[in-house]
Amino acid sequence: MQQYIIKGGKRLEGEVKISGYKNAALGIIAASIMTDEIVKIENVPNVRDINVLLKAIEDIGVEIDWVGKNTIKVNASKINTVDVDFDYVRKIRGSYYLVGALLGKYKKAKVALPGGCNIGSRPIDRHVKGFEALGSKVKIERGLICVEADKLSGGNIYFDESSVGATINVMLAACMAEGQVVLENAAKEPHVVDVANFLNSMGANIKGAGTEVIRIEGVKKLHGSEYSIIPDQIEAGTFMFAAAATKGDVLITNVIPKHLEAFTAKLLEIGTEVIEYDDAIRIKANGRLGSAHVKTLVYPGFLTDMQPQMTTLLSVSEGTSIVTESIFENRFKYADELVRMGADIKVVESNTAIITGVEKLTGATVSAPDLRGGAALVIAGLMADGYTIVENVEYIERGYEDFEIKMQELGAAMIKVNSDDEKAIRKFKFKVG
Ligand code: EPU
């Protein structure tokens, strides 16, 4: 079992480059199999969830060629089945985008129902409703979602609540429908826009992505393309909060500052200095930060994926803070681990954390409960007195590329080791004192 060992108390300083957005990459890679021509995708984050999706499409006949650390060429001209029924596919949420992509291209798909992080019940009813509105028959049987249509037809689809996943999935299928499809109350998140831009670069006709109404004129065929994925706003936000938490001074490059506005606003509110450049952002913090009230919302509100990192930062801020989770019902599991490190956090009605800032956290052995909760525990370890061991790092590796290496380059005393590698652990402790 791999774990991170962190010696807290080091100020993060220097420059860190953000990778491509995992959640956009999942949609874009799925979309890339909708043409028989070659697609080149740059800025692909080399993280577990992406590698699982790539393996899944290879297993149905797609050829993937890595032509650089973060660049792939996709050749989907030899797909030999629309059944994506591999056990490992259940481990990632983003595999459901293969339903929309295969349904668009072949008018049928059978895909193992998604798993993903354990942060709530995560139903897919809005995806199903969208596929049905396009004229397909949808059945859920033996752990698979089975979708089939004679033809995909146009029409209006109204999502009664916003869903990033359903918007992207239905958009994928709809771009090869007959006629016009209008998605109303669509999700506006940056990755919805990125997937739409990518599909348009392949010849799709999608207008309005980034607003609540997306209009899609179906096309018969999509063609090859070259595309670079947008930077990961969650990775960027995580480094912003890690810099603030360690009273550091960090320049975060390869970002779109507009996508970070909700985090910037909160960091300014609690006393951090934030300097924006065209494609970079610098975070400087000094002294004890203040408290804040935060509620997670759909974009451009405060992103649910940054809620654990925010709560962690507030756990050592002066005064009482309240953090309310309104997107997923089970996203405070990491709070128990923070309490083990000395934080004073009470979670009420499972969606609200009342945080009374303490002076210091103390190192402990903690377990990452999910991807973002795990990243938050790393931030806690960077701030804490003494050593922190974060177990279950495979959760964190689902979405952060070279996480410990990027942290080390900023000066963090942090390594990834096998829990039984006593020699490496001794060496690390000797080195950092
Ligand atoms: N929901 C339904 N029915 C549906 C779809 C969603 O009830 O058919 C509910 C969900 O249970 C949730 C809410 O609607 O309560 C929002 O879900 P949404 O569909 O917007 O989220 P998602 O597509 O499942 C993506 C990201 C998440 C991120 C959310 C919110 C991917 C693969 N996942 O999830 O990312 O938290 O949007 O922005 O893109 C992560 O990266 O750690 C992660 C969990």
Side-chain angles (χ1 to χ4, degrees):
M1 283 271 280
Q2 293 210 299
Q3 58 187 25
Y4 291 137
I5 306 185
I6 304 161
K7 170 91 186 287
K10 286 246 169 31
R11 188 168 185 253
L12 296 189
E13 282 176 315
E15 199 174 308
V16 62
K17 185 172 175 221
I18 297 307
S19 301
Y21 195 178
K22 174 204 60 127
N23 290 344
L26 291 167
I28 287 171
I29 290 167
S32 73
I33 71 168
M34 295 178 73
T35 175
D36 284 345
E37 296 177 19
I38 305 290
V39 173
K40 185 175 171 191
I41 312 173
E42 292 169 357
N43 215 22
V44 177
N46 203 332
V47 295
R48 261 171 210 244
D49 278 12
I50 296 300
N51 289 319
V52 171
L53 182 65
L54 289 175
K55 177 151 174 33
I57 60 177
E58 279 184 314
D59 282 352
I60 60 168
V62 177
E63 286 171 13
I64 303 291
D65 191 9
W66 283 92
V67 291
K69 182 172 184 253
N70 297 103
T71 305
I72 55 171
K73 278 192 180 167
V74 181
N75 175 355
S77 63
K78 295 176 197 146
I79 289 181
N80 49 47
T81 174
V82 293
D83 283 18
V84 190
D85 183 13
F86 313 112
D87 256 354
Y88 58 84
V89 162
R90 294 175 210 277
K91 294 196 183 126
I92 62 163
R93 185 79 182 158
S95 53
Y96 56 31
Y97 291 141
L98 295 177
V99 181
L102 292 168
L103 179 65
K105 190 176 183 189
Y106 299 109
K107 311 293 170 263
K108 57 183 175 181
K110 252 189 198 181
V111 179
L113 275 170
C117 275
N118 185 15
I119 53 178
S121 66
R122 312 194 77 178
I124 55 160
D125 54 302
R126 295 175 208 156
H127 304 236
V128 171
K129 194 179 147 194
F131 294 139
E132 284 174 344
L134 293 175
S136 11
K137 289 201 174 62
V138 185
K139 277 191 294 187
I140 311 273
E141 53 185 25
R142 288 177 289 110
L144 297 169
I145 168 164
C146 312
V147 188
E148 199 161 354
D150 293 333
K151 65 172 191 133
L152 295 174
S153 44
N156 275 33
I157 301 173
Y158 177 78
F159 293 110
D160 40 359
E161 279 185 72
S162 165
S163 159
V164 179
T167 301
I168 292 179
N169 222 348
V170 177
M171 187 168 76
L172 288 168
C175 68
M176 296 189 85
E178 291 177 24
Q180 190 189 58
V181 179
V182 180
L183 305 183
E184 290 182 73
N185 199 23
K188 296 179 287 194
E189 271 68 3
H191 41 317
V192 174
V193 180
D194 208 32
V195 177
N197 286 342
F198 173 65
L199 284 164
N200 283 341
S201 80
M202 292 171 75
N205 184 350
I206 303 171
K207 293 199 174 82
T211 74
E212 274 158 23
V213 182
I214 302 181
R215 288 173 204 282
I216 306 159
E217 278 305 330
V219 294
K220 288 213 157 48
K221 234 177 145 202
L222 295 173
H223 55 69
S225 163
E226 288 195 9
Y227 195 81
S228 184
I229 295 169
I230 53 168
D232 193 324
Q233 59 174 161
I234 312 172
E235 189 197 8
T238 303
F239 279 99
M240 288 167 78
F241 284 23
T246 60
K247 315 272 178 280
D249 181 354
V250 177
L251 181 71
I252 301 162
T253 64
N254 189 35
V255 301
I256 299 173
K258 175 124 193 74
H259 295 168
L260 310 174
E261 272 173 353
F263 321 144
T264 300
K266 283 297 159 194
L267 285 175
L268 288 172
E269 185 183 326
I270 63 175
T272 309
E273 203 180 325
V274 183
I275 307 153
E276 281 184 12
Y277 304 93
D278 285 350
D279 60 357
I281 199 157
R282 183 172 171 190
I283 305 297
K284 279 166 89 174
N286 264 312
R288 197 160 178 210
L289 299 173
S291 59
H293 290 191
V294 182
K295 184 174 182 185
T296 63
L297 291 167
V298 296
Y299 188 81
F302 193 92
L303 186 63
T304 167
D305 298 281
M306 285 300 299
Q307 177 264 99
Q309 301 87 319
M310 183 81 216
T311 303
T312 302
L313 184 53
L314 294 173
S315 72
V316 292
S317 295
E318 195 153 9
T320 302
S321 301
I322 297 178
V323 174
T324 308
E325 172 60 54
S326 76
I327 309 291
F328 291 106
E329 77 262 27
N330 199 7
R331 222 167 186 178
F332 280 113
K333 284 189 180 166
Y334 66 89
D336 287 342
E337 304 297 288
L338 285 181
V339 169
R340 287 155 49 71
M341 297 176 74
D344 182 348
I345 303 175
K346 288 181 187 61
V347 178
V348 290
E349 289 175 2
S350 83
N351 75 339
T352 303
I354 301 168
I355 307 143
T356 308
V358 294
E359 290 273 346
K360 268 245 162 250
L361 297 180
T362 46
T365 298
V366 290
S367 174
D370 54 61
L371 165 55
R372 309 302 170 188
L377 294 175
V378 169
I379 295 179
L382 294 171
M383 300 193 281
D385 258 352
Y387 288 99
T388 296
I389 294 176
V390 181
E391 296 176 337
N392 285 340
V393 301
E394 50 291 352
Y395 276 123
I396 302 170
E397 290 180 332
R398 295 178 68 149
Y400 290 90
E401 183 173 19
D402 297 336
F403 197 40
E404 76 283 5
I405 296 170
K406 290 185 181 184
M407 286 293 183
Q408 285 160 4
E409 284 170 358
L410 292 173
M414 168 173 174
I415 51 161
K416 184 171 79 178
V417 282
N418 274 321
S419 51
D420 59 0
D421 189 349
E422 283 169 22
K423 199 170 153 203
I425 296 171
R426 241 193 348 260
K427 199 169 146 199
F428 171 71
K429 289 192 170 170
F430 181 73
K431 195 171 142 209
V432 299

